[in-house]
Amino acid sequence: MTDSIDRIADIWGPLTPHARGTAWPARVDTHLEEGITPDSVDRWVQSACLLCSNGCGCDIAVKDGRMVGVRGRGGDVVNHGRLGPKGLYGSTPWASSPDRLTRPLVRRDGVLVETDWQTAMGTVVEVSKRLLEEKGPLSLGFYTSGQLFIEEYYALAVIGKACLGTPHMDGNTRLCTATAAASFKESFGADGQPGSYTDIEHCDAIFLFGHNMAETQTVLWTRILDRTRGPNPPTIVCVDPRRTRVADEAIRTGGVHLAAKVGTNLALMNALTRELFVNDWVDQEWVQAHTVGLQDLLETVEHCTPEWAGEICGLDPADIRRAARIFGESDHVLSTVLQGFYQSHQATAASVAVNNLHLLRAQIGKVGSGVLQMNGQPTAQNNRECGADGDLPGFRNWDNAAHVQELADLWDVDASVIPHWAPPTNAMEIFRHAEEGTIGMLWVSATNPAVSMPQSARMRKILGGDQCFVVVQDLFLTETAQLADVVLPAAGWGEKTGTFTNVNRTVHLSEKAVEPPGEAKSDLEIFTLYAELMGFTDRSGRPLPSWRTPEEAFEAWKEATAGRPVDYTGLSYDQLRGPSGIPWPVNAQTAPDGTDRLYTDAVFPTHTDECETYGHDLLTGGAVTETEHRALAPAGRAFLKGCEWTPAHEVPSDEYPLLFTTGRTVYQFHTRTKTARARRLNEAAPDAWVELSAEDAAGLGVAEGDVVRVESPRGAIEVQARVGRVMKGAVFAPFHYGTWDLTDAELDSPSRQANELTMTVWDPVSKQPYFKTAACRVVKVRDGDGPSPAPTTAASAPAQADVPPTRGGTPTSSVVLDPIPLYPNDPAQAPRSGRVPVLPEGDARTSEGGRS
């Protein structure tokens, strides 16, 4: 399939329906720059897409030394040739953007000026050495991304943990995927995705918990649509406060849309869990043999009736019972989880509750039965694996002296250098230390915390203050880079070689296709240059890290994984150049071709000497000690863990009567440093907006396109309103929009940055901040001069009929879903008054036209 189909309108492309148990048909998607044909391409270079966490295999088209397009790899295990709109239209335009960083910058007299690498890195090294001498390693911090390569993460981990000895290392994966990792550790003993994408072909029910897959992983959603539109379709259950395309498909398949109030996920999960017990849907024999904690979980949820949860969540108890019955009576259930759970109240407890459902039903490690605790970023998995965040490399336990010694022996350093005397420092604490000046130098790579972190005004003050020296390496002068003391120009995707692993453990090789612009260097080159200039060595006097090329770094990483659940030892660059996408663990002895799903033998890495963590109390975050863990004697059994629901930190009040929640749109990725430089994507979602329910809008006298001010106790934004499909009482805004592309006049206007409103509160276990539970109020500022810039093609679809379609978004036949009423079960949510028209029954409106 080529550019003959507009993939702004037809987000998921032509469908290829097929029956349960049959292979997903291939469909190769291609996009080339205008004037370029497949025959005129000089060469195609193997890679995989970096614009969501799906990890779609692709080839980069190169013409005259430039990247000019992409095509899907038909034989790739992840996407079978398909690419989403971001992958098609956003993969390459940014690379030739005229505002790329091409030379280092240093701040002189308050202004960033160009300089050479010797001066820039010399400044970074001088500050590093001075701080080490004056304050020690705790004065240095690193904040990285979910978008680098394995080789780069591992280099950074070795520098931070073995050379400097700082515990202050984390990534923006803390914002998107920390809860996924935490839930796996709490339930199964170690990180790592249990399920497989291939489970979609074999399941008879799919539960999506806080996961708008139709927009966040478009190709994976196409894979589900090809099942729901074929013979023997699975039933869909959607948990989301917005009426997304996922919710539409749930209703269409006879499933359930559970639009739980923001901040009440755990109450719903406890009720679903209780229903498994009271209806005898628990596989008692399997649970007794393969889990611990059954009785405690039963006692925790015993009082959590559907009526109790319905009152808290704003749901019909019958819908809760219906969803539980689907889970309890289906033979093969697949569950996916994402930010609607991870970034909301009691995140880890709610996500662990999803694991509990699968354990109680023995729906794990079997074909068609699994859990996908999803990632938001393409290489978030590698950040967690390699230890560039708060973890130790190879899923090792920082609290296990033997695990620390393994790394000390591998790196030939004294074990006392490797931080393990206290829990690793999470991102929220790192920025607090930088705010106080305890961290005197903060190195930010491939991410944009000035936009993506909560409470934006506070972040700008931290990054722009004199109390902390800030280093930023990136592709562009992002909002964060503008505040830095030193800016290092980095090579991007297609301009360097490396490996990365998608959300279901599939490893891809991305080959260098073109040279980076100007003096830009790969992140691996930057990190190893820093190590050389700092003079880092091991105990034998050899350089540390000792490797310099990507392939050498990959071979070193393989050594770090030997004997651990995350086993890469059977992989090589040559092997990855053959088949497209190999899931770990891979080793010569038991899995030479990779592993599709984990725990097929129902044995989990929970043994005290093997596990990645001893666990936590899900309510308080209190750590389980090694002695306590050993007393539980898990011995390869999974943990069933429960937790009481509690109200969120910030609840609606007379002053702030609504709940503000942030999220994504299908056409933009993170803070838009790549996607906003792709014309088609940016025209489809050019500016920020806020979504209100029809009833809330009517009560406020707000119509489509009116300018509103949304205020929380921390800040405010002024944007146009979309009167749409969010539930009553909730206010939704996309978090992508910062300031880098605004004119001087626009910069003087009120903010459009969603994180002005969010708060510095985080989950007690995963330490992931809450972006979903800020109390807010909405005030109309003035009438609009047209509809809001929100896309009309997916979850941000308008409630009224006369809104023009998204630019490029006039639908084709393959995108139009079956008509479904906007308010099928809840007349209270239907618009009743004000300037918003009441929709006739049955009017679906579903045929609407940093590295980050």
Side-chain angles (χ1 to χ4, degrees):
M1 187 189 73
T2 63
D3 285 334
S4 60
I5 295 178
D6 176 10
R7 292 293 301 282
I8 297 299
D10 194 343
I11 295 171
W12 307 287
L15 300 183
T16 54
H18 65 102
R20 177 180 171 180
T22 61
W24 188 29
R27 185 198 83 198
V28 176
D29 296 347
T30 303
H31 172 68
L32 297 170
E33 285 184 8
E34 188 174 351
I36 305 292
T37 65
D39 291 341
S40 68
V41 171
D42 293 338
R43 56 196 175 95
W44 295 90
V45 179
Q46 178 178 343
S47 185
C49 181
L50 270 178
L51 287 173
C52 83
S53 65
N54 206 49
C56 296
C58 67
D59 294 320
I60 304 169
V62 178
K63 174 74 172 174
D64 298 331
R66 293 177 55 247
M67 295 189 288
V68 294
V70 290
R71 71 180 178 195
R73 293 176 66 86
D76 190 85
V77 300
V78 170
N79 60 317
H80 295 212
R82 293 162 183 78
L83 293 171
K86 288 194 293 288
L88 284 169
Y89 301 141
S91 288
T92 60
W94 59 270
S96 54
S97 180
D99 58 342
R100 280 288 301 274
L101 290 170
T102 58
R103 297 196 70 204
L105 307 173
V106 296
R107 191 168 295 279
R108 295 283 186 263
D109 298 323
V111 179
L112 286 171
V113 297
E114 285 191 352
T115 188
D116 53 44
W117 275 96
Q118 182 178 1
T119 300
M121 290 303 290
T123 303
V124 175
V125 168
E126 186 277 324
V127 172
S128 299
K129 289 183 175 180
R130 173 173 54 79
L131 287 170
L132 285 171
E133 182 177 349
E134 294 175 357
K135 298 184 177 181
L138 272 69
S139 62
L140 302 175
F142 294 85
Y143 183 65
T144 187
S145 175
Q147 298 173 60
L148 300 184
F149 289 153
I150 286 173
E151 297 79 359
E152 295 161 342
Y153 288 127
Y154 188 53
L156 181 59
V158 171
I159 288 169
K161 291 176 166 62
C163 301
L164 292 169
T166 177
H168 302 325
M169 302 187 73
D170 206 352
N172 66 11
T173 50
R174 185 67 56 187
L175 312 183
C176 73
T177 189
T179 298
S183 72
F184 288 150
K185 295 176 193 177
E186 296 297 327
S187 297
F188 310 129
D191 196 355
Q193 201 70 245
S196 166
Y197 288 172
T198 60
D199 289 328
I200 294 171
E201 276 79 76
H202 303 278
C203 64
D204 49 20
I206 304 176
F207 280 63
L208 295 101
F209 296 97
H211 184 191
N212 181 14
M213 186 193 289
E215 295 192 64
T216 55
Q217 285 94 15
T218 55
V219 170
L220 196 60
W221 181 241
T222 305
R223 194 166 187 161
I224 289 178
L225 287 177
D226 281 342
R227 275 295 323 279
T228 61
R229 301 313 171 95
N232 315 115
T235 303
I236 306 296
V237 175
C238 169
V239 179
D240 199 307
R242 299 167 77 205
R243 179 67 183 272
T244 64
R245 292 290 197 181
V246 176
D248 288 344
E249 199 69 3
I251 296 168
R252 181 188 172 277
T253 60
V256 187
H257 174 208
L258 297 170
K261 291 180 180 177
V262 175
T264 66
N265 292 331
L266 184 58
L268 171 62
M269 295 307 302
N270 283 351
L272 293 175
T273 304
R274 178 187 179 275
E275 287 297 289
L276 296 190
F277 284 111
V278 300
N279 289 285
D280 197 25
W281 290 323
V282 175
D283 189 329
Q284 293 287 349
E285 183 178 352
W286 191 94
V287 169
Q288 291 293 339
H290 300 295
T291 71
V292 295
L294 177 64
Q295 187 59 36
D296 286 345
L297 178 61
L298 174 59
E299 292 174 2
T300 298
V301 304
E302 201 163 13
H303 71 282
C304 301
T305 65
E307 287 72 21
W308 170 85
E311 180 68 23
I312 292 169
C313 302
L315 296 172
D316 185 339
D319 286 341
I320 298 175
R321 287 192 170 91
R322 166 69 178 152
R325 182 169 294 278
I326 293 170
F327 201 107
E329 295 185 343
S330 297
D331 293 327
H332 301 281
V333 181
L334 173 65
S335 291
T336 76
V337 193
L338 197 59
Q339 312 296 29
F341 271 38
Y342 301 163
Q343 294 180 343
S344 194
H345 181 55
Q346 295 184 284
T348 303
S351 299
V352 165
V354 177
N355 299 339
N356 289 341
L357 294 180
H358 281 264
L359 291 170
L360 291 171
R361 292 277 296 121
Q363 295 273 357
I364 195 163
K366 301 174 182 178
V367 173
S369 305
V371 181
L372 295 170
Q373 299 268 0
M374 303 295 289
N375 298 339
Q377 295 190 82
T379 65
Q381 187 65 46
N382 297 131
N383 192 319
R384 287 145 48 184
E385 295 168 1
C386 297
D389 63 354
D391 297 317
L392 290 182
F395 293 169
R396 288 176 172 84
N397 186 345
W398 68 268
D399 205 17
N400 184 324
H403 287 191
V404 176
Q405 189 61 52
E406 288 173 6
L407 290 174
D409 294 342
L410 177 68
W411 296 332
D412 190 21
V413 298
D414 193 293
S416 63
V417 175
I418 301 172
H420 64 283
W421 54 86
T425 316
N426 67 75
M428 306 303 292
E429 293 173 322
I430 286 174
F431 278 92
R432 178 170 59 83
H433 291 320
E435 184 176 38
E436 297 167 344
T438 306
I439 289 179
M441 186 181 87
L442 180 62
W443 190 325
V444 179
S445 54
T447 186
N448 191 12
V451 176
S452 59
M453 287 287 284
Q455 208 168 339
S456 297
R458 175 174 176 248
M459 286 300 120
R460 290 191 295 271
K461 184 177 179 181
I462 294 170
L463 293 165
D466 295 332
Q467 84 291 344
C468 182
F469 187 88
V470 175
V471 180
V472 171
Q473 66 190 58
D474 216 319
L475 308 172
F476 297 94
L477 196 63
T478 64
E479 291 87 346
T480 300
Q482 292 172 29
L483 299 170
D485 297 285
V486 172
V487 180
L488 306 174
W493 174 89
E495 298 170 346
K496 58 184 181 178
T497 294
T499 51
F500 61 92
T501 308
N502 80 333
V503 68
N504 79 326
R505 298 174 285 102
T506 302
V507 186
H508 285 99
L509 174 66
S510 181
E511 301 267 27
K512 182 177 180 179
V514 299
E515 293 297 322
E519 299 175 21
K521 297 180 182 292
S522 75
D523 297 275
L524 179 62
E525 290 177 297
I526 295 171
F527 292 143
T528 54
L529 175 60
Y530 174 71
E532 288 176 2
L533 294 174
M534 290 292 291
F536 293 142
T537 62
D538 61 20
R539 287 186 295 190
S540 303
R542 295 169 297 202
L544 188 66
S546 61
W547 21 266
R548 292 296 177 265
T549 70
E551 191 163 7
E552 290 171 346
F554 185 75
E555 291 299 313
W557 163 241
K558 285 165 54 178
E559 287 187 71
T561 71
R564 297 300 301 158
V566 52
D567 190 343
Y568 280 71
T569 56
L571 282 174
S572 68
Y573 270 27
D574 285 341
Q575 188 178 3
L576 290 167
R577 288 186 177 108
S580 190
I582 302 173
W584 64 254
V586 190
N587 58 64
Q589 295 75 35
T590 61
D593 299 317
T595 305
D596 194 29
R597 63 185 54 79
L598 302 181
Y599 313 134
T600 56
D601 56 0
V603 176
F604 303 89
T606 55
H607 193 284
T608 305
D609 295 327
E610 180 186 13
C611 64
E612 191 177 357
T613 179
Y614 300 133
H616 301 82
D617 180 279
L618 298 183
L619 181 63
T620 67
V624 176
T625 67
E626 178 186 355
T627 301
E628 291 168 334
H629 188 276
R630 208 172 284 280
L632 294 170
R637 293 178 292 170
F639 287 97
L640 291 166
K641 289 190 170 185
C643 179
E644 295 280 353
W645 175 80
T646 61
H649 292 78
E650 199 165 88
V651 297
S653 64
D654 290 342
E655 187 176 8
Y656 298 101
L658 303 170
L659 278 174
F660 181 75
T661 181
T662 67
R664 306 175 185 230
T665 182
V666 65
Y667 303 115
Q668 299 289 3
F669 185 60
H670 279 235
T671 60
R672 303 167 57 247
T673 53
K674 285 183 175 178
T675 52
R677 290 174 169 88
R679 178 184 58 81
R680 293 197 199 186
L681 296 175
N682 206 48
E683 288 178 347
D687 206 346
W689 71 91
V690 66
E691 290 175 31
L692 304 172
S693 74
E695 186 175 13
D696 286 332
L700 293 164
V702 172
E704 170 67 33
D706 285 351
V707 176
V708 297
R709 181 176 176 87
V710 187
E711 302 172 338
S712 83
R714 290 155 296 279
I717 58 174
E718 281 190 16
V719 292
Q720 286 183 277
R722 162 56 44 89
V723 181
R725 296 158 38 119
V726 70
M727 72 176 296
K728 182 180 181 297
V731 178
F732 171 87
F735 81 95
H736 310 287
Y737 299 88
T739 60
W740 67 264
D741 57 335
L742 297 180
T743 65
D744 289 342
E746 289 170 329
L747 285 170
D748 292 333
S749 302
S751 179
R752 65 178 182 172
Q753 195 162 309
N755 280 319
E756 303 285 355
L757 283 74
T758 52
M759 55 184 163
T760 306
V761 176
W762 57 87
D763 183 76
V765 180
S766 69
K767 315 302 183 186
Q768 183 158 349
Y770 294 156
F771 292 95
K772 307 287 189 185
T773 54
C776 73
R777 61 183 172 225
V778 177
V779 179
K780 179 178 173 179
V781 176
R782 61 181 181 273
D783 289 348
D785 54 6
S788 79
T792 62
T793 48
S796 296
Q800 65 190 73
D802 57 351
V803 175
T806 293
R807 180 162 182 179
T810 302
T812 60
S813 58
S814 61
V815 79
V816 180
L817 302 184
D818 295 342
I820 300 170
L822 277 175
Y823 308 98
N825 301 318
D826 188 359
Q829 288 198 45
R832 295 179 297 190
S833 60
R835 295 163 56 199
V836 182
V838 177
L839 298 180
E841 184 177 355
D843 190 342
R845 311 301 184 211
T846 54
S847 58
E848 311 83 9
R851 255 73 74 102
S852 55

